[in-house]
Amino acid sequence: MSCFENITMPDCAWFEAGEKRNVLASIFSGLLFFTGWWFIIDAAAVYPGDLPNASHVCGVMATLSLLMVNSVSNAQVRGETYTGGCMGPRGSRLWLFLGFVIGFASLIAACWILFANYVNAGSSKHTWPGVSLFLQNAFIFAGSLVFKFGRTEDVWG
């Protein structure tokens, strides 16, 4: 018998739904997004001046990618609900594709900055700013994937 079997958590008003997959995916995705930005804020605070200002563009583009990927529903991509507009389902597919391209490009750029500026620079520089930049983009991209594919749209109708 475990000591944790008798512990009960109080009920939350927003966590009452029978289907908890959407809630858990949203919470985990937000946690990944927060952790990614926390890494880069930590590196900028601990090593001021080691991280070039232009390298923050990678994180901003990853955040833009998250918004682009998750602004299109899966039903729109399949062409089931969205048939109007100037491009129809092709436009939503193109938007989703561009969102993924921006996400991959920001991740590759962060990896490039890590290896070009911090790994190959020798032992004179700290490597944590480069590692944190890569981790930021990896966590934001992972959060984007969890938020896109971890939820179900059956609840919405």
Side-chain angles (χ1 to χ4, degrees):
M1 174 141 198
S2 174
C3 63
F4 293 113
E5 290 178 3
N6 296 328
I7 297 175
T8 59
M9 296 295 291
D11 291 335
C12 296
W14 55 271
F15 207 69
E16 289 289 326
E19 178 67 32
K20 293 184 175 35
R21 180 178 176 175
N22 289 354
V23 174
L24 292 175
S26 299
I27 290 172
F28 188 61
S29 173
L31 186 65
L32 287 171
F33 180 77
F34 164 77
T35 306
W37 275 103
W38 186 262
F39 282 138
I40 202 69
I41 291 170
D42 175 62
V46 172
Y47 301 108
D50 272 359
L51 196 62
N53 290 335
S55 64
H56 292 293
V57 172
C58 294
V60 171
M61 295 306 286
T63 302
L64 178 68
S65 166
L66 181 137
L67 294 174
M68 288 177 70
V69 165
N70 290 295
S71 66
V72 178
S73 70
N74 292 334
Q76 288 175 336
V77 172
R78 286 189 302 263
E80 296 172 356
T81 60
Y82 184 70
T83 58
C86 63
M87 295 182 73
R90 287 187 190 141
S92 60
R93 291 177 191 143
L94 179 67
W95 186 258
L96 181 69
F97 177 73
L98 288 176
F100 277 124
V101 166
I102 291 173
F104 280 122
S106 66
L107 190 60
I108 291 169
C111 185
W112 185 346
I113 292 171
L114 167 65
F115 284 104
N117 294 347
Y118 296 98
V119 174
N120 291 336
S123 63
S124 63
K125 275 187 155 181
H126 300 285
T127 58
W128 174 242
V131 171
S132 67
L133 180 67
F134 177 74
L135 287 176
Q136 175 202 21
N137 287 280
F139 274 55
I140 291 174
F141 189 70
S144 176
L145 291 177
V146 167
F147 196 67
K148 178 68 178 170
F149 299 112
R151 298 177 296 140
T152 60
E153 295 176 358
D154 298 337
V155 181
W156 302 332

